[in-house]
Coordinates of all heavy atoms in Angstrom, one line a residue:
M1 N 103.6 104.0 85.7 CA 102.9 102.9 85.1 C 101.4 103.0 85.5 O 101.1 103.2 86.7 CB 103.5 101.6 85.6 CG 102.6 100.4 85.4 SD 103.5 98.9 85.7 CE 104.7 98.8 84.5
E23 N 113.8 92.4 85.5 CA 113.2 93.6 85.1 C 114.3 94.6 84.7 O 115.3 94.8 85.4 CB 112.4 94.2 86.3 CG 111.8 95.6 85.9 CD 111.1 96.2 87.1 OE1 111.7 96.4 88.2 OE2 109.8 96.5 87.0
G25 N 114.8 98.4 84.1 CA 114.2 99.7 84.3 C 113.4 99.6 85.5 O 112.2 99.3 85.5
T26 N 114.0 100.0 86.7 CA 113.3 99.9 88.0 C 112.5 101.2 88.3 O 111.4 101.1 88.9 CB 114.4 99.7 89.1 OG1 115.4 98.8 88.7 CG2 113.7 99.3 90.4
S27 N 113.1 102.3 88.0 CA 112.7 103.6 88.6 C 112.5 103.5 90.1 O 113.4 102.9 90.7 CB 111.4 104.1 87.9 OG 111.1 105.4 88.3
Y30 N 107.7 100.8 91.4 CA 106.2 100.5 91.4 C 106.0 99.2 90.8 O 105.3 98.3 91.4 CB 105.5 101.7 90.7 CG 104.0 101.5 90.7 CD1 103.3 101.5 91.8 CD2 103.3 101.4 89.4 CE1 101.9 101.4 91.8 CE2 102.0 101.3 89.4 CZ 101.2 101.3 90.5 OH 99.9 101.1 90.5
S31 N 106.5 99.0 89.5 CA 106.2 97.7 88.8 C 106.9 96.5 89.6 O 106.4 95.4 89.7 CB 106.7 97.8 87.4 OG 108.0 98.2 87.4
I49 N 117.2 96.2 87.3 CA 118.3 97.0 86.9 C 117.9 98.5 86.7 O 117.0 98.8 86.0 CB 118.9 96.5 85.5 CG1 119.3 95.0 85.6 CG2 120.1 97.3 85.1 CD1 119.6 94.4 84.3
E50 N 118.7 99.4 87.4 CA 118.4 100.8 87.3 C 119.7 101.5 87.2 O 120.7 101.3 87.9 CB 117.6 101.2 88.5 CG 117.4 102.7 88.7 CD 116.8 103.4 87.4 OE1 115.7 102.9 87.0 OE2 117.3 104.4 87.0
Y51 N 119.7 102.5 86.3 CA 120.9 103.3 85.9 C 121.2 104.4 87.0 O 122.3 104.6 87.4 CB 120.6 103.9 84.6 CG 121.8 104.7 84.0 CD1 122.9 104.0 83.5 CD2 121.8 106.0 83.8 CE1 124.0 104.6 82.9 CE2 122.8 106.7 83.2 CZ 123.9 106.0 82.8 OH 124.9 106.7 82.2
E52 N 120.1 105.1 87.5 CA 120.3 106.2 88.3 C 120.4 105.8 89.8 O 119.4 105.3 90.4 CB 119.1 107.2 88.2 CG 118.9 107.7 86.8 CD 119.9 108.8 86.4 OE1 120.6 109.3 87.3 OE2 119.9 109.2 85.2
V55 N 117.7 107.2 92.2 CA 116.4 106.6 92.0 C 116.4 105.1 92.5 O 115.4 104.7 93.2 CB 116.1 106.5 90.4 CG1 114.9 105.8 90.1 CG2 116.1 108.0 89.9
G77 N 123.3 100.3 87.5 CA 124.3 100.4 86.4 C 123.5 100.4 85.1 O 122.3 100.5 85.1
D78 N 124.3 100.4 84.0 CA 123.8 100.5 82.7 C 123.4 99.1 82.2 O 124.2 98.2 82.1 CB 124.8 101.1 81.8 CG 124.3 101.5 80.4 OD1 123.2 100.9 80.0 OD2 124.9 102.4 79.8
A79 N 122.1 99.0 81.9 CA 121.5 97.7 81.4 C 122.3 97.2 80.2 O 122.4 96.0 79.9 CB 120.0 97.8 81.2
R80 N 122.8 98.1 79.4 CA 123.4 97.7 78.1 C 124.8 97.0 78.4 O 125.3 96.2 77.6 CB 123.6 98.8 77.1 CG 124.7 99.7 77.3 CD 124.6 100.9 76.3 NE 123.7 101.9 76.9 CZ 123.0 102.8 76.2 NH1 123.0 102.8 74.9 NH2 122.2 103.7 76.8
F94 N 110.8 91.5 82.1 CA 109.9 92.7 81.9 C 110.9 93.9 81.4 O 111.7 94.3 82.2 CB 109.2 93.1 83.2 CG 108.4 94.4 83.0 CD1 107.6 94.6 81.9 CD2 108.4 95.3 84.0 CE1 106.8 95.8 81.8 CE2 107.7 96.5 83.9 CZ 106.9 96.7 82.8
D96 N 111.3 97.6 80.5 CA 110.6 98.9 80.7 C 111.7 100.0 80.9 O 111.5 100.9 81.7 CB 109.7 98.8 81.9 CG 108.8 100.0 82.0 OD1 108.6 100.7 81.0 OD2 108.3 100.3 83.1
V97 N 112.8 99.9 80.2 CA 113.9 100.8 80.4 C 113.5 102.2 79.7 O 112.8 102.2 78.7 CB 115.2 100.2 79.8 CG1 115.3 100.3 78.3 CG2 116.4 100.9 80.4
G98 N 114.0 103.3 80.3 CA 113.6 104.6 79.9 C 114.2 104.9 78.5 O 113.5 105.5 77.6
D99 N 115.4 104.5 78.2 CA 116.0 104.7 76.9 C 115.5 103.6 75.9 O 115.9 102.4 76.0 CB 117.5 104.6 77.0 CG 118.2 104.7 75.7 OD1 117.6 104.8 74.6 OD2 119.5 104.9 75.7
L102 N 117.3 100.8 73.9 CA 117.7 99.5 74.5 C 116.8 98.4 74.2 O 117.2 97.2 74.4 CB 117.9 99.6 76.0 CG 119.3 100.1 76.4 CD1 119.6 101.5 76.0 CD2 119.6 99.9 77.9
Ligands
SAM201 C1 109.9 103.9 82.7 S1 111.0 103.9 84.0 C2 110.7 102.4 84.8 C3 109.4 102.3 85.5 C4 109.2 101.1 86.4 N1 109.4 99.8 85.6 C5 107.8 101.2 86.9 O1 106.8 100.9 86.1 O2 107.6 101.5 88.1 C6 112.6 103.6 83.2 C7 113.8 103.6 84.0 O3 114.9 103.2 83.2 C8 116.0 103.8 83.7 N2 117.1 103.7 82.7 C9 117.3 104.5 81.6 N3 118.3 104.1 80.9 C10 118.9 103.0 81.5 C11 120.0 102.1 81.3 N4 120.7 102.3 80.2 N5 120.2 101.1 82.1 C12 119.4 100.9 83.2 N6 118.3 101.7 83.5 C13 118.1 102.8 82.7 C14 115.6 105.2 84.0 O4 116.5 105.8 85.0 C15 114.2 105.0 84.6 O5 114.2 105.0 86.0

Side-chain angles (χ1 to χ4, degrees):
M1 165 171 290
E23 178 183 57
T26 319
S27 186
Y30 181 61
S31 54
I49 303 170
E50 172 54 49
Y51 186 70
E52 299 283 352
V55 174
D78 191 336
R80 82 188 83 207
F94 178 46
D96 193 22
V97 74
D99 178 353
L102 270 67

